[in-house]
Amino acid sequence: MPPITAPLKRGPWRYLSDRDVLHAAVVTLVAVALSLGLVWVGYLIHVWRVAARSPLTLPRPMTVLVFGRRLVRDRPEPDYQQRLQRALALMKAQQTDHVLLLGGRSGGALSEAAAGKAWLAGHELPPGIILRLEQASVDSLENLRHARSLLLEDGPVTRVLPPVGLVTSRYHLARCLLLARRLGFDGVPVAAEPSLVLNRRMLIRLLAESGYLMWIDIGLRWAGLIGHRRMTARVS
């Protein structure tokens, strides 16, 4: 069983000792307070709209990035399984032949990417698929940074990133899309779940994701306003 502090080692919480991240957090809290919470409501609506409206297919064949999630006994838990199922559906529909599974170790013996590969191997993976693993990351930003490096290694001399489909849970799509665009990807969101079901768990997820997105976006906007290059470089 992972230690109680394990969640603090992943996601935005792992950056709380960083003064630039804390700077962004303070600015975000001030914006929320001055707006009486309306700023957060705006981000929540945006996250909900992306979650509700994102498609299940790609507009054209492209490379697919599948975001990992914390494993349970070294196996994909339900959210991660849905992401893998969606990626498998895209493969079978011949909408992709190049898939990157993203995610390092989250407390177990296997990386999230390796566990995802093992799951796909047990579900009739179509022939001709290029399946690669990114196993060095522990959050969405690192997922995308390392994926960018892998894709640029494969690219032509001009080093142009290919368009990508971002496959993840609906509540997670808005944050991944923002980060992908900041890192130079031409990204298309692809929802793991067939539709958005607004139950208690999903509402909590949407609220948390809107908070993360607000923290990132307001921090970057503030950094641009005051010319703080080190802060903007954190997500570039």
Side-chain angles (χ1 to χ4, degrees), residues 82-234:
Q82 286 186 314
R83 300 173 190 184
L84 294 166
Q85 287 171 347
R86 180 62 56 211
L88 186 59
L90 295 175
M91 295 180 223
K92 290 183 176 180
Q94 299 183 340
Q95 291 195 311
T96 185
D97 61 3
H98 189 182
V99 177
L100 269 69
L101 301 179
L102 313 178
R105 291 191 180 186
S106 52
L110 290 179
S111 70
E112 293 168 6
K117 180 181 180 181
W119 188 94
L120 287 171
H123 290 78
E124 299 181 13
L125 191 67
I129 299 295
I130 300 172
L131 190 63
R132 300 184 67 186
L133 310 186
E134 180 286 301
Q135 304 181 82
S137 60
V138 294
D139 59 36
S140 300
L141 177 57
E142 287 191 357
N143 286 159
L144 289 164
R145 276 183 176 150
H146 295 153
R148 180 175 63 179
S149 296
L150 289 172
L151 291 173
L152 286 175
E153 287 174 3
D154 295 339
V157 176
T158 52
R159 297 292 180 116
V160 176
L161 282 169
V164 296
L166 307 171
V167 176
T168 191
S169 305
R170 287 182 180 271
Y171 58 80
H172 191 216
L173 282 167
R175 177 158 54 114
C176 291
L177 194 58
L178 172 69
L179 293 173
R181 288 173 177 171
R182 285 285 308 184
L183 293 176
F185 284 98
D186 175 12
V188 177
V190 181
E193 308 93 329
S195 62
L196 180 65
V197 179
L198 288 178
N199 51 30
R200 180 175 178 273
R201 178 180 180 274
M202 180 59 71
L203 288 172
I204 292 172
R205 293 286 184 187
L206 292 175
L207 185 62
E209 284 293 328
S210 62
Y212 296 156
L213 187 69
M214 176 175 60
W215 186 358
I216 296 167
D217 193 40
I218 290 180
L220 289 172
R221 290 174 186 270
W222 173 254
L225 182 64
I226 65 174
H228 199 311
R229 295 182 181 179
R230 190 176 65 230
M231 287 177 68
T232 56
R234 305 305 292 267

Side-chain angles (χ1 to χ4, degrees), residues 35-114:
S35 69
L36 301 178
L38 291 179
V39 168
W40 199 332
V41 172
Y43 279 96
L44 177 59
I45 292 171
H46 172 68
V47 170
W48 169 75
R49 290 180 66 181
V50 173
R53 298 180 179 183
S54 290
L56 304 178
T57 59
L58 293 167
R60 62 189 186 280
M62 59 180 66
T63 299
V64 165
L65 310 183
V66 185
F67 289 81
R69 202 162 187 276
R70 175 172 290 277
L71 305 177
V72 177
R73 301 184 185 89
D74 282 333
R75 296 180 181 179
E77 48 74 76
D79 282 3
Y80 190 13
Q81 289 184 30
Q82 286 186 314
R83 300 173 190 184
L84 294 166
Q85 287 171 347
R86 180 62 56 211
L88 186 59
L90 295 175
M91 295 180 223
K92 290 183 176 180
Q94 299 183 340
Q95 291 195 311
T96 185
D97 61 3
H98 189 182
V99 177
L100 269 69
L101 301 179
L102 313 178
R105 291 191 180 186
S106 52
L110 290 179
S111 70
E112 293 168 6

